[in-house]
Amino acid sequence: KLKLAIGAHAMEISQAPAGERLTVGGAIAMNLPSEKYNSGDLLSATRELEVVLSNGEVISTRRISKRELNEKLALQNFEGEIYRGIDTLIEENFDLISKIEDDSSYGYSGITKVKKSDGSFDLTPLFFGSLGTLGTITEATLATNFIINETAFAVISFENRDDARDFIDEIRDFNPEIIEMFDGKMFESAVASGKNYRFYLDRVEKNLQTKMILVVGVSERNQRKISAIMKKIEKVSKRFTGSTFWLPDGSNEQKAELETVRDVREVLRARAGVIREEIFPIQGVYVPLERFEQFYLGLQ
């Protein structure tokens, strides 16, 4: 209902988890992965929570300054007791807490995000994945984004997989809407079966190996901003030896070629002589980017 209501104003919560029967508080308490895996988790969209504690006391959680934290620590009630307890817990177990994986999908690993180096403090991350054990969430303030129709895509190819991984790390600050990763072997097989991919054939002519292909999509409210971001992404790509950057010019022909790049799996499946029944070993799985390299190597 929330998504429909804000959708009427051309707004969305891009980190909203999939599913129509979820409550906002329930999605937070379970810390479900978002529909758009590359848009971050729901925590990054949450600005403030109102929570009923075990003694019936109602508190608001948000990121507060070091000065405000001192005021909370001085409170002589259950809220003050909680702030003092968590602050002491973090101080006394800093080394141990720093080793906790930054996941927050179960247990209380959100404690890694509570206190920042500048002294600011926010209890909100603790409620993500807490499954109702710390309190009942009765209100949430969430950040929304404009629903954007302008999206441009670029195809970036690499000679080795490590470069592709490092490239993703470097462009994260540009907040791409979409990052799709394809193994070069897929295009090698598609070309061998008679399919023509201009970007791939250009690399063959230059004697460049193609280990990894990324399709990066950038969404903004106007084309000028998209062009500016794409130029920054292209500049980053040039730092990697043997990489190539292809930005479709908007013509129908190049739009069609981009679609065939993104649909390479369907192209391979449709080849004559290939068994058309597929096995999906994993579905509905979320892999944090920090763990992706380990996951990908295992998948190989």
Side-chain angles (χ1 to χ4, degrees), residues 26 43 70 88 90 94 102 110 124 149 154 162 214 218 239 265:
L43 175 58
N70 289 330
T88 301
I90 293 172
F94 181 80
D102 190 13
T124 303
N149 295 322
D162 289 345
L214 299 179
V218 173
R239 298 177 195 163
R265 191 170 67 89

Side-chain angles (χ1 to χ4, degrees), residues 31-194:
N31 195 32
L32 298 176
S34 59
E35 288 177 297
K36 297 180 179 179
Y37 64 90
N38 56 326
S39 297
D41 53 29
L42 190 57
L43 175 58
S44 62
T46 304
R47 297 293 174 264
E48 190 171 344
L49 294 180
E50 180 184 86
V51 182
V52 181
L53 301 176
S54 59
N55 68 341
E57 203 172 307
V58 180
I59 66 168
S60 293
T61 72
R62 60 176 177 82
R63 185 150 297 281
I64 58 177
S65 66
K66 191 174 182 178
R67 179 183 59 79
E68 291 173 305
L69 173 61
N70 289 330
E71 294 174 359
K72 294 286 187 184
L73 296 174
L75 293 174
Q76 297 303 308
N77 56 10
F78 191 31
E79 182 180 10
E81 186 180 330
I82 289 172
Y83 273 96
R84 287 190 293 274
I86 298 298
D87 189 44
T88 301
L89 189 71
I90 293 172
E91 291 293 330
E92 293 181 351
N93 300 276
F94 181 80
D95 291 340
L96 182 62
I97 289 171
S98 64
K99 295 176 183 177
I100 296 175
E101 292 179 8
D102 190 13
D103 180 278
S104 196
S105 61
Y106 61 89
Y108 306 99
S109 53
I111 196 168
T112 59
K113 302 186 182 85
V114 172
K115 193 170 187 176
K116 291 189 174 180
S117 57
D118 61 2
S120 65
F121 204 90
D122 189 1
L123 293 178
T124 303
L126 285 173
F127 291 95
F128 279 77
S130 66
L131 300 176
T133 56
L134 303 181
T136 302
I137 299 165
T138 53
E139 186 174 296
T141 303
L142 304 174
T144 60
N145 298 316
F146 287 105
I147 295 174
I148 299 165
N149 295 322
E150 290 285 334
T151 304
F153 292 92
V155 178
I156 305 99
S157 309
F158 299 88
E159 279 201 305
N160 67 73
R161 296 181 179 89
D162 289 345
D163 284 352
R165 178 206 61 200
D166 294 342
F167 173 80
I168 292 173
D169 287 341
E170 291 199 32
I171 68 168
R172 287 176 73 180
D173 290 342
F174 303 141
N175 297 316
E177 182 75 6
I178 295 168
I179 299 179
E180 295 173 341
M181 179 178 281
F182 301 92
D183 194 294
K185 293 176 184 176
M186 300 176 77
F187 290 93
E188 182 182 343
S189 298
V191 169
S193 68

Side-chain angles (χ1 to χ4, degrees), residues 209-227:
Q209 289 190 336
T210 305
K211 294 292 186 181
M212 193 69 74
I213 293 97
L214 299 179
V215 175
V216 178
V218 173
S219 296
E220 272 295 345
R221 275 178 280 176
N222 61 65
Q223 191 59 49
R224 181 179 57 80
K225 285 186 177 181
I226 291 175
S227 297

Side-chain angles (χ1 to χ4, degrees), residues 162 165 287-298:
D162 289 345
R165 178 206 61 200
V287 181
L289 190 57
E290 292 77 14
R291 300 294 297 277
F292 182 77
E293 181 180 11
Q294 181 182 353
F295 167 79
Y296 186 77
L297 291 174

